[in-house]
Amino acid sequence: MAKGWTTPDAEQFKMKIEANYAAILGTVQAEDIMDRFVDKGYFSIADVVEKIMAKKTNNEEMRVLIQLLSERIQQHGILDFFLEQLTDNGYDKLAREIRETEIKPIQVSEGRAGTDNHRYPQIPEKLKNKVVTDKHAMFLARTFSPYKVLKFGVFLGFNETEISHVQADYRKYGESTVVQQIIIRWKNRTGFSATLGKLLEIFEKNSDDIELNATEYEKALEKISKS
């Protein structure tokens, strides 16, 4: 096994997990790996029985497993152990993709709340005045931590009850679908003033709070510019 991740590396690894979140949910069977985390002492029996196995679908089980992994990310060796379990159980390609995912750090500068510091890739000015489309929402839906959906919804002006309703209706399709629907509802509520420029300003102004993934955000902006 490789040397355990240090604290800064652990944060990078967390971003790698988030960047591959959909692939992990769609590929890994929780039952293949969860018991080994108990054997190693990273999870308790209660974690597995009461939190993971209490869920009805594998997709939901994996969401909880990844959440536990994120919460205990500072436990020495847990991240390498996760990749090792993927490799040992036939998910070696996914393990390799996670480890090799490039994470570009967000460069924080003075005047954070401003929109003119160009810390992020820019889209054509004419696009900023366009009303947000469903396609824009789809491109941006996987650019930040899946654990920050509630905060993101609040930044768009929704209350916790409204966000919970969206989660209840769409979570079964994946967290990115929840984000997409929240953006679409924001557009429908805001009307013609729901411009792409205003939405991107919300993303960038609150990037730390939603744990914006710089690499995925850049990819989304490239897709938007080409669409």
Side-chain angles (χ1 to χ4, degrees), residues 1-224:
M1 182 185 296
K3 183 179 179 181
W5 300 77
T6 63
T7 300
D9 288 339
E11 290 304 315
Q12 285 284 305
F13 189 92
K14 184 177 179 180
M15 295 176 71
K16 290 172 184 278
I17 292 291
E18 291 165 1
N20 292 278
Y21 189 71
I24 295 171
L25 290 186
T27 305
V28 182
Q29 294 295 309
E31 63 182 12
D32 288 343
I33 63 175
M34 60 185 177
D35 289 342
R36 293 289 292 126
F37 279 89
V38 175
D39 296 340
K40 199 69 175 177
Y42 292 125
F43 295 170
S44 68
I45 294 177
D47 287 331
V48 170
V49 175
E50 298 174 11
K51 296 179 181 179
I52 299 177
M53 293 180 64
K55 300 302 180 182
K56 295 181 179 180
T57 67
N58 179 72
N59 194 283
E60 293 173 337
E61 289 179 344
M62 283 304 301
R63 289 180 192 280
V64 176
L65 193 153
I66 294 172
Q67 184 174 353
L68 290 173
L69 183 67
S70 178
E71 291 172 354
R72 296 161 198 195
I73 202 166
Q74 301 302 336
Q75 292 188 30
H76 184 76
I78 191 172
L79 303 175
D80 288 308
F81 186 74
F82 174 65
L83 290 185
E84 183 181 87
Q85 293 313 299
L86 294 184
T87 301
D88 290 349
N89 287 279
Y91 308 111
D92 49 312
K93 181 180 178 182
L94 177 59
R96 185 169 60 254
E97 289 176 350
I98 292 171
R99 191 179 287 278
E100 294 177 355
T101 297
E102 291 188 13
I103 300 297
K104 297 180 181 179
I106 297 175
Q107 299 298 321
V108 179
S109 60
E110 295 294 331
R112 172 178 181 75
T115 58
D116 60 348
N117 54 36
H118 302 302
R119 292 187 296 114
Y120 302 94
Q122 298 296 296
I123 62 172
E125 199 65 32
K126 62 181 180 180
L127 285 180
K128 293 182 180 180
N129 296 320
K130 297 286 186 181
V131 174
V132 172
T133 67
D134 291 5
K135 185 176 287 187
H136 296 155
M138 179 182 68
F139 291 150
L140 291 164
R142 293 177 177 170
T143 59
F144 63 88
S145 170
Y147 312 118
K148 301 298 181 178
V149 172
L150 180 59
K151 276 193 173 183
F152 176 71
V154 170
F155 290 139
L156 288 185
F158 295 98
N159 60 45
E160 292 188 13
T161 300
E162 291 172 315
I163 299 167
S164 295
H165 287 163
V166 178
Q167 290 177 313
D169 291 339
Y170 293 97
R171 179 171 277 164
K172 61 184 177 182
Y173 303 112
E175 213 66 52
S176 62
T177 303
V178 174
V179 176
Q180 183 181 5
Q181 289 301 317
I182 290 175
I183 293 174
I184 291 172
R185 293 189 183 202
W186 172 77
K187 177 196 72 172
N188 293 339
R189 172 181 290 186
T190 309
F192 289 111
S193 61
T195 63
L196 190 55
K198 183 176 292 185
L199 179 61
L200 296 183
E201 182 180 345
I202 292 171
F203 268 85
E204 295 173 17
K205 182 179 179 180
N206 301 290
S207 60
D208 285 349
D209 290 315
I210 64 174
E211 297 181 9
L212 187 65
N213 183 312
T215 300
E216 294 303 312
Y217 185 67
E218 182 176 355
K219 290 179 182 177
L221 295 186
E222 288 176 358
K223 291 177 181 177
I224 288 171

